[in-house]
Amino acid sequence: MRNPSGVLRAWLNDRPLVPDTALAVALAGVAVLLLRAVPPREGTQEGLVAALTVAWCLSLVLRRRAPFSMLLTTCLAGIALATLGVGGLPLWPAVLLLVYTVAAHRGLALSLCALVWSLVCHFVTTVPGGTLGDWGVHLPVTVLTVTMWLTGRSVRLRRAYLEELRDRARRTERAREADTRAARAEERSRIARELHDVVAHHVSVMTVQASAARRVLATNPEGAREALSAIEEMGRTAMAEMRNIVGVLRTDASPAERNPQPGVAEIPALVDQMREAGLRAQLWVEGTPGTLPPGVDLAAYRLVQEALTNSLRHAGPTARAWVTVRHEHGQLAVEVEDDGRGLDGDAAPGEGSGHGLVGIRERVALYGGILRIGPRPEGGFEVNARFPLKDV
């Protein structure tokens, strides 16, 4: 339930003429009472003076549009009343309100001019009545005028402070939205790399298996049947992984984020897959396996997957590959080597230098690792990465 006072305040802020009109009517009533307390001298038309005073007070409805100009003319009207023997007292409440308005809605220099002008005009209005040297009259008026000016300045400063807070909150919200968009873009980029790794690996294996099945279809139907079964199984695995990864793009609470990602422990199964696809691959695991950070664990697996896939595609049918995983103190070393033709052996122009190797570089750099990719001195190709383990 909303606060009634807050609703009323918001309604009045949207319609400033309503409170200004009520205030102008109240000041006109006060001015009439002061005119009765201090009647003009003989010969002055009281009705005309009262009508002009009330009309001037009612014009304060527009005080927010030109407060300084209205203050100048109101003070001059007070001086004119003083020459008629009334003094500036009937219009002085209006002057105080205008001093407050200028201080609350205009800059410091203009508000200081308004304060000085109102005090000077007050002293001038006391000349016809002979009270110029009466500080019993000047001191209360001066204190009250300065108080209204200080109140207006404090309101202006508070309003500026609140506006700065609101602006800062808006900037913070925009920055938070920008960070959220950047995080989403980074996550989608990660998903794209994962998708590339999955597709490249499985499609390459399926292509090799299909080629082998075609070659032995006439002479070795049983071997062709096994190759086709391997293709079927590989296709199902690829589709399952792709569904898990692409699911992140469809919902914020995808089960893919909760499914376990492959890691170093799954590298032996990966090497077996590559052997079935026709790559003579061997695996060595050195050191005592420990608990790896999830990101490093996944990055090491994807690195081996991409490197073996490139070996299968480009090293040649007689090539051998070696995978070495070393669990050292403070770091994880992963090496994948082959003795084949390398990426340029039978690759088309530009092939082998695309998103796969770029993804490997990004993964290793993300975790502060060191990566070497290139030909071996004795022939073939190697991918050598070292991941620092700060928490080990």
Side-chain angles (χ1 to χ4, degrees):
M1 184 176 179
R2 300 184 63 181
N3 188 357
S5 62
V7 174
L8 179 60
R9 189 182 302 111
W11 187 84
L12 292 177
N13 288 335
D14 293 337
R15 300 164 179 81
L17 283 179
V18 175
D20 288 348
T21 301
L23 191 57
V25 171
L27 289 176
V30 172
V32 171
L33 294 177
L34 292 176
L35 280 174
R36 291 182 177 179
V38 185
R41 64 177 176 227
E42 294 181 3
T44 302
Q45 297 182 0
E46 297 183 11
L48 178 61
V49 171
L52 292 177
T53 302
V54 169
W56 205 265
C57 290
L58 292 178
S59 67
L60 294 182
V61 171
L62 306 177
R63 66 184 178 90
R64 303 194 195 206
R65 297 188 179 181
F68 187 73
S69 300
M70 295 196 68
L71 176 64
L72 294 178
T73 54
T74 302
C75 288
L76 292 177
I79 294 175
L81 288 179
T83 60
L84 297 176
V86 179
L89 187 60
L91 289 179
W92 197 248
V95 172
L96 292 177
L97 177 63
L98 290 172
V99 168
Y100 165 83
T101 305
V102 174
H105 297 278
R106 296 296 182 267
L108 178 61
L110 196 62
S111 65
L112 284 174
C113 292
L115 175 63
V116 173
W117 171 253
S118 62
L119 292 176
V120 169
C121 289
H122 162 70
F123 282 97
V124 171
T125 57
T126 59
V127 173
T131 58
L132 181 60
D134 188 0
W135 280 98
V137 175
H138 300 324
L139 186 59
V141 171
T142 302
V143 170
L144 187 58
T145 305
V146 173
T147 300
M148 294 297 292
W149 183 84
L150 291 174
T151 303
R153 287 300 301 172
S154 65
V155 169
R156 178 177 175 81
L157 293 177
R158 183 175 181 274
R159 188 186 299 118
Y161 174 71
L162 293 177
E163 182 59 31
E164 175 64 23
L165 289 181
R166 285 191 288 267
D167 184 62
R168 187 179 304 173
R170 288 191 292 267
R171 291 198 302 268
T172 302
E173 183 64 24
R174 288 195 297 268
R176 185 182 298 111
E177 292 176 357
D179 291 341
T180 301
R181 289 193 297 269
R184 289 176 178 172
E186 182 180 356
E187 178 65 13
R188 293 177 189 276
S189 177
R190 183 190 69 81
I191 293 170
R193 291 195 299 270
E194 293 288 331
L195 193 57
H196 169 268
D197 293 340
V198 170
V199 172
H201 168 68
H202 290 90
V203 170
S204 296
V205 174
M206 293 166 64
T207 301
V208 172
Q209 294 280 17
S211 176
R214 178 180 56 80
R215 291 174 183 174
V216 301
L217 183 59
T219 60
N220 187 4
E222 185 63 27
R225 187 180 299 109
E226 291 179 0
L228 292 174
S229 298
I231 293 174
E232 180 183 6
E233 182 64 27
M234 192 66 64
R236 289 176 178 174
T237 304
M239 289 302 297
E241 288 195 43
M242 289 170 62
R243 276 195 297 267
N244 286 338
I245 294 173
V246 177
V248 167
L249 300 176
R250 297 179 179 174
T251 174
D252 293 333
S254 172
E257 290 296 312
R258 298 190 293 270
N259 288 342
Q261 295 284 358
V264 173
E266 282 72 34
I267 289 180
L270 177 63
V271 173
D272 290 339
Q273 280 186 357
M274 304 308 293
R275 290 197 191 104
E276 294 177 0
L279 178 66
R280 293 187 294 170
Q282 293 179 316
L283 171 66
W284 286 275
V285 179
E286 302 176 3
T288 303
T291 302
L292 298 175
V296 173
D297 201 20
L298 176 61
Y301 177 87
R302 294 303 187 196
L303 184 147
V304 175
Q305 184 183 52
E306 180 65 28
L308 289 179
T309 301
N310 286 334
S311 296
L312 180 66
R313 294 171 61 188
H314 305 293
T318 62
R320 295 176 299 169
W322 301 273
V323 179
T324 304
V325 178
R326 283 196 295 271
H327 298 271
E328 302 175 356
H329 179 71
Q331 71 175 2
L332 173 69
V334 180
E335 299 176 4
V336 181
E337 301 173 295
D338 65 57
D339 60 358
R341 296 190 299 260
L343 291 181
D344 296 328
D346 59 357
E351 187 180 2
S353 59
H355 297 291
L357 297 181
V358 173
I360 289 178
R361 295 183 189 278
E362 290 181 357
R363 289 179 185 276
V364 176
L366 179 63
Y367 299 102
I370 300 173
L371 176 67
R372 182 188 179 279
I373 299 178
R376 300 169 66 227
E378 58 271 24
F381 202 80
E382 71 171 341
V383 177
N384 191 330
R386 294 180 180 273
F387 296 92
L389 304 177
K390 300 179 180 179
D391 298 331
V392 176

